Amino acid sequence: MPTEVKGGAGRGAFITFEGGEGGGKSTQVQRLVAALRARGVETVATREPGGSPNAEALRDVLLAGLVAPLGPAAEALIFSAARIDHIDNLIRPALQRGAFVVCDRFADSTRAYQGALGKLSETFIDGLEKVTIGDVRPDLTFVLDLPAEEGMARAGARRGRAAADRFEAEAIEFHRALRDSFRAIAAAHPERCVLVDATQGIDEVAADIWAAVCRRFPAVAVASLPT
Ligand code: TMP
């Protein structure tokens, strides 16, 4: 039965989406969640920063740029504080009951935005990640990859006349370096990460993602659609 589909080691499965701005992560999270649910797999869709009431409150503070003046180390700590609450109140309980959790951004975003771009040491980021996420590590991570110019153009079109947030407002050089950083993360963790060409159309990207999910979780591939 589809409801028997599980990730590894007696728990659910944790899938994250990462990448720069405008890569279509939110759309692809929705597509994957719909495909999993259509097969009867209990699936929780969530995002970072946020995903729990306390973490959503911290999201507002972070994206308004209120922590930026304190520097990247302080920002990394506040993103991590939000992550701890999100894990405790939503992610871990869902995994423990065997659900799939699909999360729009997670710890790789701290490593790229605050770590690489904020010039924090790997020792700092490794230690912070260890105390923040413990054993709640993603089973599979999609890195949606596209040129910074294209991503920023898409993000600008989506935003319309609304003001850019803390990170959207950074210069194009920041977003180019961000892309390099996410690509480096994907290359360093080939067992977990799948680099996806996000310049493709929505359906093509969704197909690449679904194929990778079926490879990683074969039980999902054979779970039947309702007739
Ligand atoms: P988004 O949900 O629209 O992608 O916005 C979240 C923003 O926060 C995005 O610009 C990336 C940034 N961010 C970090 O800088 N560090 C983090 O750890 C996370 C989760 C997000």
Side-chain angles (χ1 to χ4, degrees), residues 21 25 48-49 59 63 79 83 105-106 109-110 113-114 165 167:
E21 314 288 329
K25 286 182 288 79
E48 288 210 345
R59 177 187 177 93
L63 297 194
F79 275 109
R83 183 161 301 132
R105 296 196 183 281
F106 193 62
S109 282
T110 306
Y113 281 80
Q114 284 69 52
D165 72 24
F167 297 99

Side-chain angles (χ1 to χ4, degrees), residues 108-185:
D108 293 322
S109 282
T110 306
R111 189 171 287 277
Y113 281 80
Q114 284 69 52
L117 274 295
K119 305 211 178 335
L120 299 176
S121 74
E122 285 213 10
T123 313
F124 180 91
I125 289 292
D126 287 347
L128 186 58
E129 194 173 295
K130 199 167 166 197
V131 296
T132 303
I133 73 176
D135 62 352
V136 182
R137 297 191 173 270
D139 300 294
L140 181 60
T141 296
F142 292 105
V143 176
L144 269 52
D145 178 60
L146 80 174
E149 291 75 7
E150 195 174 334
M152 292 311 288
R154 286 196 203 171
R158 181 188 60 200
R159 195 168 63 236
R161 297 168 72 162
D165 72 24
R166 153 81 181 91
F167 297 99
E168 288 168 343
E170 291 281 356
I172 193 70
E173 291 73 23
F174 176 98
H175 294 283
R176 287 196 195 113
L178 196 57
R179 181 191 191 192
D180 293 343
S181 168
F182 277 117
R183 290 176 66 99
I185 290 171

Side-chain angles (χ1 to χ4, degrees), residues 45-64 66 78-79 81-87 89-90 103-105:
T46 189
R47 70 170 180 182
E48 288 210 345
S52 61
N54 291 328
E56 288 289 334
L58 289 175
R59 177 187 177 93
D60 292 342
V61 172
L62 285 159
L63 297 194
L66 296 176
I78 304 300
F79 275 109
R83 183 161 301 132
I84 287 170
D85 191 76
H86 185 205
I87 290 172
N89 291 294
L90 189 132
C103 191
D104 187 340
R105 296 196 183 281

